[in-house]
Amino acid sequence: MPSGIHQVELDLSIEQIWDFVKDMNKWAPLVPGYITHEILTEKQSTWEFKGDIGIMKKKVRLQIDIKEWIEPSTVTFDLKGLNENFGGDGYFKAEIINENKTLMTGSLDITASGKMGPMINVILKKFVPQTATELTDAIAAKIQEVNGINV
């Protein structure tokens, strides 16, 4: 399964991180290639973004199902392609380093299936870690910005 994990240390409390991450409307637009998203329920949404996977560029629609909201540290989710044959999961996790420092981890696993799955998974092995890093860094930068910390 193509996967990526990225960690960022932030000079913020875990509560400041949670205040941002608990609202999907704040971080969905930070997905690389973001076009739009729609909140369907408290635990389900659809996202659309432009996927640039090497030689392929296409609009990708995902359904995101939140498995857990564990305040103040964890959001876990499943994802499935609505217009492509793939699925996966991921999480954001915050861990207290000290009162004013938090380690934030973003993780993403995506696997393509079907006839083209094996070929697409080769491409995803580079794309998924890069996306996990870009999204985690974008969320960290936005959290710092909304908390008045210059990046």
Side-chain angles (χ1 to χ4, degrees):
M1 177 180 278
S3 63
I5 190 165
H6 184 65
Q7 295 184 311
V8 179
E9 254 186 50
L10 297 168
D11 291 326
L12 296 164
S13 70
I14 196 168
E15 290 80 14
Q16 289 169 297
I17 308 284
W18 182 255
D19 187 54
F20 185 86
V21 174
K22 72 181 180 185
D23 182 353
M24 213 180 315
N25 288 311
K26 292 180 180 178
W27 51 273
L30 301 174
V31 171
Y34 174 83
I35 297 171
T36 188
H37 76 283
E38 181 182 358
I39 304 294
L40 304 174
T41 69
E42 183 180 306
K43 292 193 168 198
Q44 189 174 75
S45 61
T46 58
W47 298 10
E48 187 173 332
F49 60 96
K50 205 177 309 167
D52 184 358
I53 307 173
I55 59 169
M56 296 188 309
K57 293 180 192 209
K58 60 183 351 186
K59 284 185 184 176
V60 177
R61 292 191 67 234
L62 295 176
Q63 178 176 308
I64 307 295
D65 292 304
I66 301 294
K67 292 192 297 189
E68 296 180 300
W69 293 104
I70 304 171
E71 185 174 352
S73 63
T74 309
V75 179
T76 60
F77 56 89
D78 287 330
L79 59 89
K80 79 175 176 189
L82 296 175
N83 66 333
E84 297 295 328
N85 199 3
F86 63 84
D89 57 39
Y91 64 84
F92 288 105
K93 188 173 198 168
E95 299 172 78
I96 296 170
I97 295 172
N98 64 40
E99 187 176 305
N100 296 309
K101 191 176 282 264
T102 304
L103 179 66
M104 187 177 78
T105 304
S107 175
L108 185 60
D109 295 317
I110 300 176
T111 301
S113 52
K115 267 193 288 187
M116 300 293 286
M119 183 182 82
I120 294 170
N121 284 327
V122 169
I123 297 167
L124 288 176
K125 284 188 187 221
K126 180 178 180 190
F127 176 78
V128 173
Q130 178 182 334
T131 300
T133 297
E134 288 177 13
L135 179 57
T136 303
D137 285 345
I139 291 171
K142 193 68 171 175
I143 292 171
Q144 290 173 314
E145 178 186 315
V146 300
N147 283 283
I149 297 172
N150 292 331
V151 182

